[in-house]
Amino acid sequence: MSALHVSVDTTSAVPVYEQLRHQVSALVTTGALREGDRLPAARALAADLGIAVGTVQRAYRELEAAGTVTSRRRTGTVVAASTALEEDVRWAAEGFVERALSSGLSAEQALDVVRAALVSVARSRAR
């Protein structure tokens, strides 16, 4: 099992289950968590984070509904198989990063380019 490095801010306006869902989803998307990696049991993660078990269970349910993880008796909650589309997007992102950095852009400048592209595409799709 890969270590699950997540944290929560109980004072945030963002619900704790949503913070967990987002962080685990990001770890899967970036490849930090891979297919078959086990997530900690809900009780263990709740104890580690000092939150209610039901909060972790809700985050896990939402991740399962999105197809990010699967839960089964005896095996627990594991990262689901990624789709070919997800792998293709990850490959394209890595290619972009290689090109951006080799062109002399800083990591922050590369992120700015991606943010601008996201805004541009969202605007064109809204038309």
Side-chain angles (χ1 to χ4, degrees):
M1 170 173 61
S2 291
L4 182 64
H5 300 287
V6 294
S7 60
V8 295
D9 178 0
T10 56
T11 64
S12 172
V14 178
V16 173
Y17 79 89
E18 179 60 23
Q19 293 176 47
L20 284 174
R21 186 210 58 78
H22 175 75
Q23 290 177 60
V24 171
S25 182
L27 290 169
V28 171
T29 299
T30 61
L33 287 174
R34 300 204 174 267
E35 177 183 346
D37 284 348
R38 286 183 52 190
L39 274 57
R43 286 189 199 288
L45 185 57
D48 288 348
L49 297 174
I51 59 175
V53 174
T55 301
V56 176
Q57 290 170 333
R58 180 168 181 187
Y60 283 7
R61 280 193 308 271
E62 299 232 351
L63 288 162
E64 188 166 21
T68 306
V69 300
T70 58
S71 296
R72 295 191 187 102
R73 291 192 186 274
R74 298 183 190 217
T75 59
T77 302
V78 297
V79 175
S82 60
T83 65
L85 177 60
E86 290 167 333
E87 291 297 325
D88 187 48
V89 170
R90 188 176 299 124
W91 177 83
E94 289 173 2
F96 167 78
V97 169
E98 286 289 336
R99 185 166 182 184
L101 296 179
S102 68
S103 296
L105 292 179
S106 69
E108 192 57 40
Q109 289 171 317
L111 287 171
D112 289 341
V113 170
V114 171
R115 287 183 190 104
L118 286 167
V119 169
S120 175
V121 169
R123 282 186 185 145
S124 66
R125 286 186 174 190
R127 291 180 194 157

